[in-house]
């Protein structure tokens, strides 16, 4: 989505009861993982030198343990990450989507009907 629309969408989702966790403008894998370590719900926490498998496990655990059934993960501006490191961008998105879909399905099976997890990725339009 255009980066200009991310802020408004986050406000709307917050008003609907979603917990919003966001990173800014990661430039590469290391920067993304550093920002995620500080901003996303992770369980167990990740350390400084982490790989994608550890991130995927940690984001799954963090989403599962999160006290809110309605969660939004945001990458405010993924333009640099996608342009400079397309394979790392794909791994980040795939890791988050897989965890979100799996945890949401588990919560629904456990009777948490209001469980909803969204991913918002902003990118420059020019």
């Amino acid at each position: 989505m255009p980066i200009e629309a991310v802020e408004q969408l986050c406000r709307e989702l917050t008003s609907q009861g979603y917990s919003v966790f966001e990173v800014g403008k990661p430039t590469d894998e290391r920067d993304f993982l550093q920002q995620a370590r500080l901003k996303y719900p992770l369980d167990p926490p990740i350390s400084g030198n982490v790989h994608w498998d550890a991130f995927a496990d940690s984001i799954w655990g963090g989403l599962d343990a999160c006290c809110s059934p309605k969660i939004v993960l945001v990458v405010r501006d993924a333009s640099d990450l996608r342009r400079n490191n397309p394979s790392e961008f794909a791994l980040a998105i795939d890791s988050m989507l897989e965890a979100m879909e799996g945890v949401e399905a588990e919560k629904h099976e456990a009777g948490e009907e209001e469980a909803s997890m969204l991913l918002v990725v902003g990118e420059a339009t020019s």
Side-chain angles (χ1 to χ4, degrees), residues 1-119:
M1 88 176 332
I3 57 175
E4 301 82 16
V6 171
E7 182 66 33
Q8 176 63 30
L9 179 59
C10 288
R11 279 196 302 269
E12 289 174 22
L13 291 169
T14 299
S15 74
Q16 294 173 21
Y18 281 84
S19 294
V20 178
F21 301 94
E22 57 187 89
V23 299
K25 185 177 181 177
T27 56
D28 58 24
E29 172 189 15
R30 181 181 170 111
D31 188 30
F32 173 82
L33 292 170
Q34 177 65 21
Q35 290 186 45
R37 185 177 68 81
L38 298 172
K39 301 290 185 172
Y40 285 165
L42 302 173
D43 186 15
I46 56 176
S47 63
N49 188 14
V50 70
H51 53 83
W52 288 111
D53 288 340
F55 172 73
D57 291 344
S58 185
I59 195 70
W60 184 295
L63 293 170
D64 189 42
C66 192
C67 59
S68 175
K70 296 168 71 172
I71 299 169
V72 181
L73 296 181
V74 179
V75 181
R76 283 207 167 263
D77 184 352
S79 303
D80 288 346
L81 180 59
R82 185 175 192 169
R83 180 176 47 256
N84 298 335
N85 302 85
S87 62
E88 303 302 325
F89 170 79
L91 283 169
I93 298 302
D94 289 347
S95 295
M96 290 186 287
L97 285 175
E98 184 176 319
M100 295 170 89
E101 291 168 0
V103 171
E104 184 178 317
E106 284 182 359
K107 289 183 180 278
H108 283 171
E109 288 175 16
E112 291 184 58
E113 294 302 320
E114 63 188 36
S116 176
M117 300 190 186
L118 305 172
L119 178 60

